């Protein structure tokens, strides 16, 4: 049995956090493995309507049991629950867990709208329970170094950022393409990471204006229920800085993925980019005039760090953390990107220009 003394909260727990895992598809099992490897928590039970997925999860935790659903998980005297279900279920499931007095680590997005995200945060606050969301790119060494540079003022005033996430494949599960289950397309799936990286680096600045263009299969979206596979958005901050976001599924990008977050300030720049089209390998550089200086190179095993960080804080006895209130700002921006897109019947020219 582990003894964990967490000096940050001056508390001692005699045993690892007791966790339930709700939704153990690809990412659910990946994060479950990372948490269990840390020895900060034990898996008490898993719940997933897919028997195959639940059985696969038990290979990671042979002592855990399979239960039918969220209610069954919540009857097990858990410390926390890890949610990795289709996106539209996140808010409701998180609220039910928090209202039962169970801490939550949820996959992104926390909600499909700012209202949903705010309701989850309110439930965490009122239950005084820790709420975490898997905004995993914050935990790359590259983004941490860039944030440090920005926050120390070494890049001067950041007046622009270019944020890009093209996934050449797009999701392979059908629920991602049903807006009632996913909440949207590439913006809520991939853009959420980019916007979070920028807001987190810039200390959650106020937004003045958002404009966006959403497309599906090369044409402007003309129905609210359509799920976009290409998006461009401009987020103008109250201090005049401009964040330009581009993201997509199934773009003919010439490689698996193009992922970057570039920040430009009055005293220098910083660049975070995937290497060789990889979804996992990133390099970061500091930019001065025409010179570049490496901040970090792969490898960096960052994927499970947000989950492990939450498990460590839970095991250390941390209650509600007001930092989760920023999740509502993130959801509001995504909502405004969807809300500001003009629904139009204009079709882009199909022939050569
Ligand atoms: N943080 C990240 O970088 C990251 C990466 C990938 C996916 N995600 C998010 O993780 C979530 C899951 O994505 P995925 O790719 O693993 O999808 P998935 O379809 O592989 O997994 C979802 C699982 O949830 C199960 N499920 C469905 N309804 C359920 C319910 N009511 N209760 C319990 N389980 C239920 C499904 O059977 C499936 O096993 C999505 O919200 C996605 O946006 C986040």
């Amino acid at each position: 049995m582990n003894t964990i003394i967490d000096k940050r909260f001056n508390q001692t727990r005699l045993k690892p956090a007791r966790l339930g895992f709700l939704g153990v598809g690809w990412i659910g099992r990946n994060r479950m493995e990372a948490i269990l490897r840390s020895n900060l928590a034990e898996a008490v039970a898993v719940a997933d309507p897919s028997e195959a997925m639940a059985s696969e999860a038990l290979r990671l935790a042979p002592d855990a049991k399979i239960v039918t659903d969220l209610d069954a998980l919540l009857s097990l005297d858990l410390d926390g629950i890890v949610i990795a279900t289709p996106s539209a279920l996140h808010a409701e499931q998180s609220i039910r867990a928090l209202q039962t007095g169970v801490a939550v680590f949820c996959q992104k997005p926390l909600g499909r709208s700012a209202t949903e995200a705010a309701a989850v945060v309110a439930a965490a606050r009122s239950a005084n329970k820790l709420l975490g969301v898997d905004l995993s790119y914050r935990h790359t060494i590259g983004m941490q170094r860039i944030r440090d540079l920005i926050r120390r003022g070494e890049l001067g005033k950041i007046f622009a950022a270019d944020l890009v996430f093209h996934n050449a494949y797009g999701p392979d599960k059908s629920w991602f393409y049903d807006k009632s289950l996913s909440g949207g397309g590439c913006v809520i799936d991939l853009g959420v990471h980019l916007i979070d990286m920028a807001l987190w680096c810039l200390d959650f600045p106020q937004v003045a204006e958002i404009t966006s263009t959403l497309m599906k299969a090369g044409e402007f979206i003309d129905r609210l229920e359509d799920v976009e596979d290409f998006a461009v958005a401009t987020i103008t901050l109250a201090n005049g800085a401009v964040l330009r976001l581009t993201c997509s599924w199934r773009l003919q990008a010439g490689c698996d993925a193009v992922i970057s977050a570039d920040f430009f300030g009055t005293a220098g720049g910083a660049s975070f980019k995937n290497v060789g089209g990889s979804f996992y390998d990133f390099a970061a550089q500091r930019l001065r005039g025409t010179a570049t200086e490496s901040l970090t190179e792969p490898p960096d095993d960052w994927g499970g760090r947000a989950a492990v960080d939450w498990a460590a804080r839970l095991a250390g006895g941390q209650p509600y953390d007001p930092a989760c209130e920023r999740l509502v700002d993130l959801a509001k921006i995504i909502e405004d990107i969807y809300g500001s897109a003009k629904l139009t019947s204009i079709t882009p020219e199909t022939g050569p220009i």
Side-chain angles (χ1 to χ4, degrees), residues 5-53:
I5 302 169
D6 192 318
K7 295 192 178 115
R8 289 174 297 179
F9 314 116
N10 198 24
Q11 292 194 24
T12 305
R13 290 180 61 99
L14 293 178
K15 54 187 169 65
R18 287 168 53 79
L19 298 186
F21 292 83
L22 182 68
V24 282
W26 175 69
I27 200 80
R29 292 199 311 283
N30 179 289
R31 297 326 193 219
M32 181 177 172
E33 186 175 16
I35 290 172
L36 297 182
R37 213 184 315 124
S38 75
N39 290 324
L40 291 160
E42 63 173 306
V44 175
V46 303
D48 193 304
S50 159
E51 276 178 37
M53 292 298 109

Side-chain angles (χ1 to χ4, degrees), residues 22 26-27 48-49 85-87 90 107-108 134 173 175 193:
L22 182 68
W26 175 69
I27 200 80
D48 193 304
T85 52
S87 304
H90 292 174
Q107 270 309 317
K108 57 78 188 163
D134 197 3
K173 294 122 196 169
W175 66 261
H193 284 301

Side-chain angles (χ1 to χ4, degrees), residues 36-269:
L36 297 182
R37 213 184 315 124
S38 75
N39 290 324
L40 291 160
E42 63 173 306
V44 175
V46 303
D48 193 304
S50 159
E51 276 178 37
M53 292 298 109
S55 307
E56 197 64 31
L58 276 213
R59 290 155 65 105
L60 301 171
D63 294 337
K65 59 180 173 177
I66 297 176
V67 298
T68 47
D69 55 17
L70 175 58
D71 288 331
L73 279 181
L74 293 177
S75 70
L76 294 173
D77 190 26
L78 301 174
D79 297 312
I81 189 164
V82 177
I83 299 175
T85 52
S87 304
L89 304 176
H90 292 174
E92 187 206 326
Q93 292 172 333
S94 297
I95 290 169
R96 281 175 57 209
L98 290 161
Q99 286 176 341
T100 318
V102 171
V104 167
F105 181 74
C106 187
Q107 270 309 317
K108 57 78 188 163
L110 182 59
R112 289 166 293 182
S113 63
T115 308
E116 276 194 354
V120 185
V121 169
R125 192 189 303 114
S126 122
N128 196 24
K129 290 292 168 189
L130 187 63
L131 169 65
V133 170
D134 197 3
L135 294 162
S136 40
Y137 291 80
R138 284 187 192 187
H139 294 263
T140 56
I141 292 174
M143 283 312 300
Q144 300 223 336
R145 299 229 160 116
I146 289 175
R147 182 183 189 238
D148 286 348
L149 283 179
I150 292 174
R151 290 169 74 100
R152 285 201 303 266
E154 292 192 32
L155 306 183
K157 180 199 162 187
I158 301 296
F159 58 86
D162 284 339
L163 310 165
V164 177
F165 199 146
H166 299 304
N167 176 343
Y169 302 101
D172 55 358
K173 294 122 196 169
S174 58
W175 66 261
F176 274 94
Y177 303 91
D178 175 347
K179 200 165 184 174
S180 68
L181 293 175
S182 61
C186 58
V187 173
I188 203 162
D189 182 38
L190 306 176
V192 63
H193 284 301
L194 299 170
I195 298 162
D196 178 67
M197 286 193 269
L199 295 184
W200 175 73
C201 282
L202 301 175
D203 210 10
F204 291 87
Q206 237 193 310
V207 171
E209 191 189 21
I210 293 182
T211 58
S212 66
T213 300
L214 305 179
M215 299 174 94
K216 180 182 170 188
E219 299 192 355
F220 294 127
I221 277 197
D222 58 5
R223 298 179 320 143
L224 272 176
E225 60 271 30
D226 274 347
V227 165
E228 79 286 355
D229 60 18
F230 184 88
V232 180
T234 303
I235 302 162
T236 307
L237 303 181
N239 71 357
V242 182
L243 316 180
R244 296 188 307 172
L245 167 84
T246 313
C247 59
S248 69
W249 290 337
R250 291 186 308 279
L251 192 72
Q252 303 197 30
C255 57
D256 289 351
V258 181
I259 307 168
S260 60
D262 296 331
F263 296 86
F264 301 101
T266 49

